[in-house]
């Protein structure tokens, strides 16, 4: 038996016939577990138009994390929307026509994106991360898609916006260094090959903004070199 009082588990065990619960559910023959937390989902678009985050919510997930792999839809200027849609289509195999038809785009900044999600009701809890690819495209435009090296001013602006996202409620920052992450026409994710200095600057800003983490997707072609780089970035940020 599992007894719930308010929103907390009050007792677990053989509770007997009394006292009766105000509401009782018979789970005989079933498995009773805590809700699952899915730390890697891509409901970034679906969450803007649907209150149901299925199929996760149909399978015992009660909290989902979006903003993985460095891809997402905020911040985003109106003239860069198509670029982010094409990137999500290629990286996560989500149909462009669905994204284009469904995305509400009632935001431009990351805090506005969080406000848009916060104004909605879902069948499960939702948590978000700040995504590197939208940051780069937002600040650098086509130069980001061409994998240009960011200027000091551009790096500072990306760092500022990342910290702004953490303060707005994001739980972490995500980026991708994976060669497999590309649009359907073969253009690599704008964050591929990002210089260490850029990630360190963003990491410092994210760390200064409060409790958070740095999520990095990588090919690890040279594991020793890549892990050493990630350790330096983590040390600079002060975050895991």
């Amino acid at each position: 038996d599992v007894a719930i009082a308010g929103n907390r588990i009050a007792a677990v065990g053989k509770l007997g016939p009394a006292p009766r619960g105000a509401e009782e559910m018979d789970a005989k023959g079933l498995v009773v577990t805590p809700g699952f937390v899915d730390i890697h989902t891509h409901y970034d678009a679906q969450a803007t138009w649907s209150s149901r985050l299925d199929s996760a919510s149909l399978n015992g997930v009660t909290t989902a994390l979006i903003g993985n792999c460095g891809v997402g839809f905020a911040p985003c200027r109106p003239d860069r929307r198509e670029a982010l849609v094409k990137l999500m289509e290629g990286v996560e195999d989500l149909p462009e026509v669905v994204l284009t038809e469904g995305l509400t785009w009632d935001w431009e900044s990351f805090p506005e994106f969080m406000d848009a999600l916060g104004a909605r009701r879902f069948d499960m809890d939702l948590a978000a991360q700040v995504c590197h690819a939208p940051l780069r495209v937002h600040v650098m435009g086509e130069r980001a898609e061409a994998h240009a090296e960011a200027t000091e001013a551009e790096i500072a602006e990306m760092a500022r916006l990342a910290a702004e996202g953490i303060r707005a409620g994001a739980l972490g920052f995500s980026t991708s260094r994976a060669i497999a992450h590309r649009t359907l026409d073969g253009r690599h994710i704008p964050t591929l090959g990002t210089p260490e200095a850029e990630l360190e600057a963003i990491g410092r800003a994210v760390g200064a903004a409060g409790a958070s983490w740095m999520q990095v997707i990588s090919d690890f072609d040279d594991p020793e070199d890549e892990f050493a780089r990630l350790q330096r970035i983590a040390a600079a940020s002060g975050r895991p």
Side-chain angles (χ1 to χ4, degrees), residues 140-203:
M140 299 173 62
E142 291 182 357
R143 292 177 56 249
E145 297 178 75
H147 302 95
E149 191 165 326
T151 65
E152 287 188 13
E154 288 169 338
I155 291 175
E157 178 64 0
M158 281 188 274
R160 184 189 72 80
L161 291 173
E164 179 182 73
I166 298 297
R167 288 192 294 269
L171 299 188
F173 168 85
S174 75
T175 188
S176 170
R177 300 169 58 79
I179 198 169
H181 285 168
R182 63 181 77 188
T183 62
L184 290 186
D185 59 5
R187 302 186 71 177
H188 291 291
I189 191 168
T191 58
L192 182 68
T194 298
E196 187 174 330
E198 180 178 321
L199 290 174
E200 282 197 3
I202 292 173

Short mmCIF file of all heavy atoms in Angstrom, two decimals, residues 140-203:
data_model
loop_
_atom_site.label_atom_id
_atom_site.label_comp_id
_atom_site.label_asym_id
_atom_site.label_seq_id
_atom_site.Cartn_x
_atom_site.Cartn_y
_atom_site.Cartn_z
N MET A 140 25.06 35.48 -34.61
CA MET A 140 25.99 35.54 -35.75
C MET A 140 25.31 35.43 -37.11
O MET A 140 25.95 35.67 -38.14
CB MET A 140 27.03 34.43 -35.61
CG MET A 140 27.89 34.52 -34.37
SD MET A 140 28.96 33.07 -34.17
CE MET A 140 29.98 33.18 -35.66
N GLY A 141 24.03 35.04 -37.16
CA GLY A 141 23.33 34.91 -38.42
C GLY A 141 23.95 33.84 -39.32
O GLY A 141 24.33 32.76 -38.86
N GLU A 142 24.08 34.14 -40.61
CA GLU A 142 24.59 33.17 -41.57
C GLU A 142 26.03 32.76 -41.27
O GLU A 142 26.46 31.67 -41.65
CB GLU A 142 24.48 33.74 -42.99
CG GLU A 142 23.05 33.88 -43.48
CD GLU A 142 22.99 34.39 -44.90
OE1 GLU A 142 24.07 34.69 -45.48
OE2 GLU A 142 21.87 34.50 -45.44
N ARG A 143 26.78 33.62 -40.59
CA ARG A 143 28.16 33.27 -40.25
C ARG A 143 28.21 32.06 -39.34
O ARG A 143 29.15 31.27 -39.38
CB ARG A 143 28.87 34.46 -39.60
CG ARG A 143 29.11 35.62 -40.57
CD ARG A 143 29.76 36.82 -39.90
NE ARG A 143 31.01 36.47 -39.26
CZ ARG A 143 31.19 36.45 -37.93
NH1 ARG A 143 30.17 36.75 -37.11
NH2 ARG A 143 32.35 36.12 -37.42
N ALA A 144 27.18 31.90 -38.49
CA ALA A 144 27.12 30.72 -37.62
C ALA A 144 26.92 29.47 -38.44
O ALA A 144 27.56 28.44 -38.19
CB ALA A 144 26.00 30.88 -36.60
N GLU A 145 26.03 29.54 -39.42
CA GLU A 145 25.78 28.37 -40.28
C GLU A 145 26.99 28.02 -41.12
O GLU A 145 27.15 26.87 -41.55
CB GLU A 145 24.57 28.66 -41.17
CG GLU A 145 23.27 28.87 -40.39
CD GLU A 145 22.11 29.20 -41.29
OE1 GLU A 145 21.61 28.27 -41.95
OE2 GLU A 145 21.70 30.37 -41.33
N ALA A 146 27.86 29.01 -41.36
CA ALA A 146 29.09 28.78 -42.12
C ALA A 146 30.25 28.38 -41.20
O ALA A 146 31.38 28.25 -41.66
CB ALA A 146 29.46 30.03 -42.91
N HIS A 147 29.96 28.22 -39.91
CA HIS A 147 30.96 27.79 -38.91
C HIS A 147 32.11 28.78 -38.77
O HIS A 147 33.26 28.40 -38.55
CB HIS A 147 31.48 26.39 -39.23
CG HIS A 147 30.41 25.36 -39.29
ND1 HIS A 147 29.80 24.98 -40.47
CD2 HIS A 147 29.79 24.66 -38.31
CE1 HIS A 147 28.86 24.09 -40.22
NE2 HIS A 147 28.83 23.88 -38.92
N ALA A 148 31.77 30.08 -38.89
CA ALA A 148 32.77 31.11 -38.69
C ALA A 148 33.13 31.19 -37.21
O ALA A 148 32.35 30.80 -36.34
CB ALA A 148 32.24 32.46 -39.17
N GLU A 149 34.32 31.70 -36.92
CA GLU A 149 34.74 31.89 -35.53
C GLU A 149 34.11 33.17 -35.01
O GLU A 149 34.18 34.22 -35.65
CB GLU A 149 36.26 31.94 -35.44
CG GLU A 149 36.78 31.87 -34.02
CD GLU A 149 38.26 31.57 -33.93
OE1 GLU A 149 38.76 30.82 -34.79
OE2 GLU A 149 38.91 32.09 -33.01
N ALA A 150 33.51 33.10 -33.85
CA ALA A 150 32.84 34.26 -33.27
C ALA A 150 33.85 35.30 -32.81
O ALA A 150 34.95 34.96 -32.36
CB ALA A 150 31.97 33.82 -32.10
N THR A 151 33.48 36.57 -32.93
CA THR A 151 34.31 37.65 -32.40
C THR A 151 34.17 37.71 -30.89
O THR A 151 33.28 37.07 -30.30
CB THR A 151 33.89 38.99 -33.00
OG1 THR A 151 32.55 39.30 -32.54
CG2 THR A 151 33.90 38.95 -34.52
N GLU A 152 35.03 38.46 -30.24
CA GLU A 152 34.94 38.60 -28.78
C GLU A 152 33.59 39.18 -28.39
O GLU A 152 32.99 38.75 -27.40
CB GLU A 152 36.08 39.49 -28.27
CG GLU A 152 37.44 38.82 -28.28
CD GLU A 152 38.50 39.65 -27.58
OE1 GLU A 152 38.12 40.63 -26.88
OE2 GLU A 152 39.69 39.34 -27.73
N ALA A 153 33.11 40.14 -29.17
CA ALA A 153 31.81 40.76 -28.85
C ALA A 153 30.68 39.75 -29.01
O ALA A 153 29.74 39.72 -28.20
CB ALA A 153 31.58 41.97 -29.76
N GLU A 154 30.75 38.91 -30.04
CA GLU A 154 29.72 37.89 -30.26
C GLU A 154 29.74 36.84 -29.16
O GLU A 154 28.69 36.39 -28.69
CB GLU A 154 29.91 37.25 -31.63
CG GLU A 154 29.54 38.18 -32.78
CD GLU A 154 29.98 37.65 -34.14
OE1 GLU A 154 30.92 36.81 -34.19
OE2 GLU A 154 29.40 38.08 -35.16
N ILE A 155 30.94 36.45 -28.75
CA ILE A 155 31.04 35.48 -27.65
C ILE A 155 30.45 36.06 -26.38
O ILE A 155 29.71 35.39 -25.65
CB ILE A 155 32.52 35.08 -27.43
CG1 ILE A 155 33.03 34.25 -28.60
CG2 ILE A 155 32.67 34.30 -26.12
CD1 ILE A 155 34.50 33.92 -28.53
N ALA A 156 30.75 37.32 -26.11
CA ALA A 156 30.22 37.98 -24.91
C ALA A 156 28.69 38.03 -24.95
O ALA A 156 28.03 37.84 -23.93
CB ALA A 156 30.80 39.39 -24.78
N GLU A 157 28.13 38.28 -26.14
CA GLU A 157 26.67 38.35 -26.26
C GLU A 157 26.04 36.97 -26.08
O GLU A 157 25.00 36.83 -25.42
CB GLU A 157 26.28 38.94 -27.61
CG GLU A 157 24.79 39.02 -27.88
CD GLU A 157 24.03 39.95 -26.95
OE1 GLU A 157 24.65 40.56 -26.05
OE2 GLU A 157 22.80 40.05 -27.10
N MET A 158 26.67 35.94 -26.65
CA MET A 158 26.15 34.58 -26.44
C MET A 158 26.21 34.20 -24.97
O MET A 158 25.27 33.58 -24.44
CB MET A 158 26.95 33.58 -27.28
CG MET A 158 26.57 33.55 -28.74
SD MET A 158 27.38 32.21 -29.65
CE MET A 158 28.93 32.99 -30.08
N ALA A 159 27.28 34.56 -24.30
CA ALA A 159 27.41 34.27 -22.87
C ALA A 159 26.33 34.99 -22.08
O ALA A 159 25.71 34.42 -21.17
CB ALA A 159 28.80 34.67 -22.38
N ARG A 160 26.08 36.24 -22.44
CA ARG A 160 25.04 37.02 -21.74
C ARG A 160 23.67 36.38 -21.92
O ARG A 160 22.90 36.25 -20.96
CB ARG A 160 25.03 38.46 -22.27
CG ARG A 160 24.04 39.37 -21.54
CD ARG A 160 23.90 40.71 -22.22
NE ARG A 160 23.16 40.62 -23.47
CZ ARG A 160 21.83 40.56 -23.56
NH1 ARG A 160 21.09 40.56 -22.46
NH2 ARG A 160 21.24 40.50 -24.73
N LEU A 161 23.37 35.98 -23.15
CA LEU A 161 22.07 35.38 -23.44
C LEU A 161 21.91 34.02 -22.77
O LEU A 161 20.81 33.66 -22.34
CB LEU A 161 21.87 35.26 -24.95
CG LEU A 161 21.72 36.57 -25.71
CD1 LEU A 161 21.71 36.32 -27.21
CD2 LEU A 161 20.47 37.31 -25.28
N ALA A 162 23.01 33.24 -22.70
CA ALA A 162 22.94 31.95 -22.03
C ALA A 162 22.62 32.13 -20.55
O ALA A 162 21.78 31.43 -19.98
CB ALA A 162 24.25 31.19 -22.20
N ALA A 163 23.30 33.08 -19.92
CA ALA A 163 23.04 33.37 -18.50
C ALA A 163 21.62 33.88 -18.30
O ALA A 163 20.95 33.54 -17.32
CB ALA A 163 24.05 34.38 -17.98
N GLU A 164 21.15 34.69 -19.24
CA GLU A 164 19.77 35.19 -19.18
C GLU A 164 18.79 34.03 -19.21
O GLU A 164 17.78 34.03 -18.48
CB GLU A 164 19.52 36.11 -20.38
CG GLU A 164 18.12 36.68 -20.47
CD GLU A 164 17.93 37.55 -21.69
OE1 GLU A 164 17.86 37.00 -22.82
OE2 GLU A 164 17.85 38.79 -21.54
N GLY A 165 19.09 33.01 -20.02
CA GLY A 165 18.22 31.84 -20.09
C GLY A 165 18.20 31.07 -18.79
O GLY A 165 17.14 30.59 -18.35
N ILE A 166 19.36 30.92 -18.16
CA ILE A 166 19.42 30.21 -16.86
C ILE A 166 18.60 30.97 -15.83
O ILE A 166 17.82 30.38 -15.07
CB ILE A 166 20.87 30.06 -16.39
CG1 ILE A 166 21.69 29.22 -17.38
CG2 ILE A 166 20.92 29.43 -15.00
CD1 ILE A 166 21.23 27.79 -17.56
N ARG A 167 18.75 32.27 -15.80
CA ARG A 167 17.99 33.08 -14.83
C ARG A 167 16.49 33.02 -15.12
O ARG A 167 15.67 33.21 -14.22
CB ARG A 167 18.49 34.52 -14.84
CG ARG A 167 19.87 34.69 -14.20
CD ARG A 167 20.18 36.16 -13.96
NE ARG A 167 20.31 36.89 -15.21
CZ ARG A 167 21.44 37.06 -15.87
NH1 ARG A 167 22.57 36.53 -15.40
NH2 ARG A 167 21.48 37.75 -17.00
N ALA A 168 16.12 32.76 -16.38
CA ALA A 168 14.70 32.67 -16.75
C ALA A 168 14.11 31.32 -16.40
O ALA A 168 12.90 31.12 -16.55
CB ALA A 168 14.53 32.95 -18.24
N GLY A 169 14.95 30.38 -15.96
CA GLY A 169 14.42 29.09 -15.51
C GLY A 169 15.00 27.86 -16.19
O GLY A 169 14.63 26.74 -15.84
N ALA A 170 15.89 28.03 -17.17
CA ALA A 170 16.52 26.87 -17.79
C ALA A 170 17.40 26.16 -16.76
O ALA A 170 18.01 26.81 -15.90
CB ALA A 170 17.36 27.28 -18.99
N LEU A 171 17.47 24.85 -16.86
CA LEU A 171 18.25 24.07 -15.88
C LEU A 171 19.69 23.85 -16.31
O LEU A 171 20.51 23.40 -15.51
CB LEU A 171 17.58 22.72 -15.63
CG LEU A 171 16.17 22.75 -15.06
CD1 LEU A 171 15.72 21.35 -14.68
CD2 LEU A 171 16.07 23.69 -13.88
N GLY A 172 20.01 24.14 -17.58
CA GLY A 172 21.37 23.92 -18.06
C GLY A 172 21.55 24.47 -19.45
O GLY A 172 20.64 25.09 -20.02
N PHE A 173 22.74 24.23 -20.00
CA PHE A 173 23.12 24.67 -21.35
C PHE A 173 23.56 23.45 -22.14
O PHE A 173 24.27 22.59 -21.62
CB PHE A 173 24.27 25.68 -21.25
CG PHE A 173 24.93 25.99 -22.56
CD1 PHE A 173 24.41 26.96 -23.41
CD2 PHE A 173 26.08 25.31 -22.95
CE1 PHE A 173 25.03 27.24 -24.62
CE2 PHE A 173 26.70 25.60 -24.16
CZ PHE A 173 26.17 26.56 -25.01
N SER A 174 23.13 23.35 -23.40
CA SER A 174 23.51 22.18 -24.21
C SER A 174 24.15 22.60 -25.53
O SER A 174 23.77 23.62 -26.12
CB SER A 174 22.28 21.30 -24.49
OG SER A 174 21.44 21.89 -25.47
N THR A 175 25.12 21.81 -25.97
CA THR A 175 25.77 22.05 -27.25
C THR A 175 26.08 20.72 -27.90
O THR A 175 26.04 19.67 -27.25
CB THR A 175 27.05 22.88 -27.09
OG1 THR A 175 27.55 23.25 -28.40
CG2 THR A 175 28.14 22.12 -26.36
N SER A 176 26.38 20.77 -29.19
CA SER A 176 26.73 19.55 -29.92
C SER A 176 28.04 19.75 -30.68
O SER A 176 28.25 20.77 -31.32
CB SER A 176 25.62 19.17 -30.92
OG SER A 176 26.06 18.13 -31.78
N ARG A 177 28.89 18.72 -30.58
CA ARG A 177 30.13 18.67 -31.34
C ARG A 177 30.12 17.42 -32.22
O ARG A 177 31.18 16.89 -32.56
CB ARG A 177 31.33 18.66 -30.38
CG ARG A 177 31.40 19.89 -29.49
CD ARG A 177 32.42 19.75 -28.37
NE ARG A 177 33.76 19.50 -28.86
CZ ARG A 177 34.57 20.43 -29.35
NH1 ARG A 177 34.15 21.70 -29.43
NH2 ARG A 177 35.79 20.14 -29.77
N ALA A 178 28.92 16.96 -32.58
CA ALA A 178 28.76 15.69 -33.30
C ALA A 178 28.60 15.93 -34.80
O ALA A 178 27.76 16.72 -35.23
CB ALA A 178 27.56 14.92 -32.77
N ILE A 179 29.38 15.22 -35.59
CA ILE A 179 29.35 15.38 -37.05
C ILE A 179 28.04 14.86 -37.64
O ILE A 179 27.63 15.26 -38.74
CB ILE A 179 30.57 14.69 -37.68
CG1 ILE A 179 30.80 15.22 -39.10
CG2 ILE A 179 30.41 13.17 -37.67
CD1 ILE A 179 32.12 14.80 -39.70
N ALA A 180 27.35 13.98 -36.92
CA ALA A 180 26.09 13.42 -37.43
C ALA A 180 24.94 14.42 -37.33
O ALA A 180 23.90 14.23 -37.97
CB ALA A 180 25.73 12.16 -36.65
N HIS A 181 25.10 15.47 -36.55
CA HIS A 181 24.04 16.47 -36.38
C HIS A 181 24.11 17.47 -37.53
O HIS A 181 24.97 18.34 -37.56
CB HIS A 181 24.18 17.17 -35.03
CG HIS A 181 23.75 16.32 -33.89
ND1 HIS A 181 24.00 16.65 -32.57
CD2 HIS A 181 23.06 15.15 -33.85
CE1 HIS A 181 23.49 15.71 -31.79
NE2 HIS A 181 22.92 14.80 -32.55
N ARG A 182 23.17 17.34 -38.48
CA ARG A 182 23.18 18.20 -39.66
C ARG A 182 21.77 18.32 -40.23
O ARG A 182 20.87 17.56 -39.87
CB ARG A 182 24.12 17.62 -40.73
CG ARG A 182 23.70 16.25 -41.24
CD ARG A 182 24.69 15.71 -42.27
NE ARG A 182 25.90 15.19 -41.64
CZ ARG A 182 26.96 14.80 -42.32
NH1 ARG A 182 26.98 14.91 -43.64
NH2 ARG A 182 28.00 14.29 -41.70
N THR A 183 21.58 19.28 -41.12
CA THR A 183 20.31 19.44 -41.82
C THR A 183 20.19 18.33 -42.87
O THR A 183 21.18 17.66 -43.20
CB THR A 183 20.22 20.80 -42.50
OG1 THR A 183 21.26 20.90 -43.48
CG2 THR A 183 20.37 21.94 -41.50
N LEU A 184 18.99 18.17 -43.43
CA LEU A 184 18.80 17.13 -44.44
C LEU A 184 19.63 17.39 -45.70
O LEU A 184 19.97 16.45 -46.43
CB LEU A 184 17.32 17.02 -44.81
CG LEU A 184 16.39 16.44 -43.74
CD1 LEU A 184 14.99 16.26 -44.31
CD2 LEU A 184 16.91 15.12 -43.20
N ASP A 185 19.98 18.66 -45.97
CA ASP A 185 20.81 18.94 -47.14
C ASP A 185 22.30 18.88 -46.82
O ASP A 185 23.14 19.29 -47.63
CB ASP A 185 20.44 20.28 -47.77
CG ASP A 185 20.60 21.46 -46.81
OD1 ASP A 185 21.08 21.24 -45.68
OD2 ASP A 185 20.25 22.58 -47.20
N GLY A 186 22.63 18.36 -45.61
CA GLY A 186 24.02 18.08 -45.29
C GLY A 186 24.79 19.16 -44.57
O GLY A 186 26.00 19.00 -44.33
N ARG A 187 24.15 20.25 -44.19
CA ARG A 187 24.87 21.33 -43.50
C ARG A 187 25.01 20.96 -42.03
O ARG A 187 24.03 20.69 -41.34
CB ARG A 187 24.12 22.65 -43.65
CG ARG A 187 23.91 23.08 -45.09
CD ARG A 187 23.29 24.45 -45.20
NE ARG A 187 24.23 25.49 -44.82
CZ ARG A 187 23.97 26.80 -44.88
NH1 ARG A 187 22.78 27.21 -45.28
NH2 ARG A 187 24.87 27.68 -44.52
N HIS A 188 26.25 20.97 -41.54
CA HIS A 188 26.51 20.58 -40.17
C HIS A 188 25.93 21.58 -39.18
O HIS A 188 25.77 22.77 -39.49
CB HIS A 188 28.02 20.44 -39.93
CG HIS A 188 28.63 19.28 -40.65
ND1 HIS A 188 28.37 17.97 -40.31
CD2 HIS A 188 29.48 19.23 -41.71
CE1 HIS A 188 29.03 17.16 -41.12
NE2 HIS A 188 29.71 17.90 -41.97
N ILE A 189 25.64 21.10 -37.98
CA ILE A 189 25.11 21.96 -36.92
C ILE A 189 26.07 23.14 -36.70
O ILE A 189 27.30 22.96 -36.74
CB ILE A 189 24.90 21.14 -35.63
CG1 ILE A 189 24.10 21.95 -34.59
CG2 ILE A 189 26.22 20.65 -35.04
CD1 ILE A 189 23.61 21.09 -33.43
N PRO A 190 25.56 24.36 -36.49
CA PRO A 190 26.42 25.54 -36.37
C PRO A 190 27.42 25.48 -35.23
O PRO A 190 28.38 26.26 -35.21
CB PRO A 190 25.41 26.69 -36.15
CG PRO A 190 24.15 26.20 -36.77
CD PRO A 190 24.13 24.72 -36.52
N THR A 191 27.23 24.58 -34.29
CA THR A 191 28.12 24.49 -33.14
C THR A 191 29.28 23.53 -33.35
O THR A 191 30.16 23.42 -32.49
CB THR A 191 27.34 24.05 -31.89
OG1 THR A 191 26.72 22.78 -32.17
CG2 THR A 191 26.26 25.07 -31.55
N LEU A 192 29.30 22.81 -34.48
CA LEU A 192 30.38 21.85 -34.73
C LEU A 192 31.72 22.58 -34.78
O LEU A 192 31.88 23.55 -35.51
CB LEU A 192 30.13 21.10 -36.04
CG LEU A 192 31.16 20.02 -36.39
CD1 LEU A 192 31.05 18.84 -35.42
CD2 LEU A 192 30.96 19.53 -37.83
N GLY A 193 32.68 22.10 -34.01
CA GLY A 193 34.00 22.70 -34.03
C GLY A 193 34.11 24.03 -33.31
O GLY A 193 35.08 24.78 -33.51
N THR A 194 33.13 24.35 -32.46
CA THR A 194 33.19 25.60 -31.72
C THR A 194 34.48 25.69 -30.90
O THR A 194 34.81 24.75 -30.17
CB THR A 194 31.99 25.73 -30.76
OG1 THR A 194 30.78 25.74 -31.52
CG2 THR A 194 32.07 27.02 -29.95
N PRO A 195 35.24 26.78 -31.02
CA PRO A 195 36.48 26.91 -30.25
C PRO A 195 36.23 26.81 -28.75
O PRO A 195 35.18 27.23 -28.24
CB PRO A 195 36.98 28.31 -30.63
CG PRO A 195 36.39 28.56 -31.98
CD PRO A 195 35.04 27.91 -31.94
N GLU A 196 37.21 26.27 -28.06
CA GLU A 196 37.09 26.08 -26.61
C GLU A 196 36.84 27.39 -25.88
O GLU A 196 36.09 27.44 -24.90
CB GLU A 196 38.36 25.42 -26.10
CG GLU A 196 38.32 25.01 -24.65
CD GLU A 196 39.56 24.23 -24.24
OE1 GLU A 196 40.13 23.52 -25.09
OE2 GLU A 196 39.94 24.33 -23.06
N ALA A 197 37.45 28.48 -26.36
CA ALA A 197 37.30 29.77 -25.69
C ALA A 197 35.84 30.22 -25.64
O ALA A 197 35.39 30.82 -24.66
CB ALA A 197 38.16 30.83 -26.39
N GLU A 198 35.09 29.92 -26.70
CA GLU A 198 33.67 30.30 -26.73
C GLU A 198 32.88 29.51 -25.69
O GLU A 198 32.07 30.08 -24.95
CB GLU A 198 33.11 30.05 -28.13
CG GLU A 198 31.63 30.40 -28.26
CD GLU A 198 31.11 30.18 -29.68
OE1 GLU A 198 31.85 30.48 -30.64
OE2 GLU A 198 29.96 29.72 -29.83
N LEU A 199 33.14 28.21 -25.62
CA LEU A 199 32.42 27.39 -24.64
C LEU A 199 32.82 27.74 -23.22
O LEU A 199 31.99 27.70 -22.31
CB LEU A 199 32.69 25.91 -24.93
CG LEU A 199 32.04 25.36 -26.20
CD1 LEU A 199 32.50 23.93 -26.47
CD2 LEU A 199 30.52 25.43 -26.11
N GLU A 200 34.07 28.09 -23.01
CA GLU A 200 34.50 28.49 -21.67
C GLU A 200 33.82 29.79 -21.24
O GLU A 200 33.38 29.92 -20.10
CB GLU A 200 36.02 28.64 -21.62
CG GLU A 200 36.77 27.32 -21.53
CD GLU A 200 38.20 27.51 -21.07
OE1 GLU A 200 38.59 28.66 -20.76
OE2 GLU A 200 38.93 26.51 -21.02
N ALA A 201 33.73 30.74 -22.16
CA ALA A 201 33.08 32.02 -21.83
C ALA A 201 31.61 31.81 -21.51
O ALA A 201 31.08 32.37 -20.54
CB ALA A 201 33.24 33.00 -22.99
N ILE A 202 30.93 30.99 -22.32
CA ILE A 202 29.53 30.69 -22.04
C ILE A 202 29.41 29.95 -20.71
O ILE A 202 28.53 30.23 -19.90
CB ILE A 202 28.93 29.86 -23.18
CG1 ILE A 202 28.83 30.70 -24.46
CG2 ILE A 202 27.55 29.31 -22.80
CD1 ILE A 202 28.40 29.93 -25.69
N GLY A 203 30.33 29.02 -20.48
CA GLY A 203 30.31 28.25 -19.23
C GLY A 203 30.46 29.13 -18.01
O GLY A 203 29.77 28.94 -17.00
#
